[in-house]
Amino acid sequence: MKLSDYVADFLAQQGIRHVFAITGGASIHLIHSIADHPGVDFICPQHETGRRHGRGRLRPRNEAILGAAIATSGPGATNLITGICCSWFDFCSCPLHYWTG
């Protein structure tokens, strides 16, 4: 078992059912483990900031389902910052995990 498999199991145990991620070299093992996990859906948006938009449309705003988004290091991480800020202002009642490579 790889560490990334353990992390995918942990996310599923926390109730996370959808993970938004764009593949990159620094996060590829984690994304593969999540995509292969039977209890978690891997969703690949077109851009890092799109993760928060998709997250908001998968469930009602008042439903506190834990969500997750993954970005690779470097520009992927900095692009994710916009989505983090929007999630804070628009969906602050929703708990989220953000991971970078």
Side-chain angles (χ1 to χ4, degrees):
M1 174 182 255
K2 299 187 304 184
L3 177 61
S4 58
D5 295 331
Y6 174 79
V7 172
D9 285 339
F10 174 78
L11 294 176
Q13 290 171 1
Q14 299 304 308
I16 294 174
R17 298 294 169 247
H18 306 283
V19 175
F20 295 86
I22 296 176
T23 55
S27 60
I28 195 72
H29 288 282
L30 181 58
I31 291 170
H32 281 181
S33 293
I34 288 170
D36 292 339
H37 196 282
V40 180
D41 291 327
F42 166 68
I43 300 168
C44 183
Q46 296 298 312
H47 193 268
E48 286 86 356
T49 56
R51 292 175 203 169
R52 85 98 185 162
H53 297 294
R55 172 71 185 126
R57 283 154 181 75
L58 282 177
R59 49 99 188 116
R61 288 179 69 166
N62 62 350
E63 190 176 311
I65 296 173
L66 191 59
I70 300 171
T72 191
S73 60
T78 56
N79 287 336
L80 188 59
I81 291 173
T82 302
I84 292 170
C85 293
C86 289
S87 293
W88 173 255
F89 293 120
D90 295 344
F91 301 108
C92 60
S93 63
C94 173
L96 298 167
H97 278 278
Y98 289 100
W99 299 56
T100 59

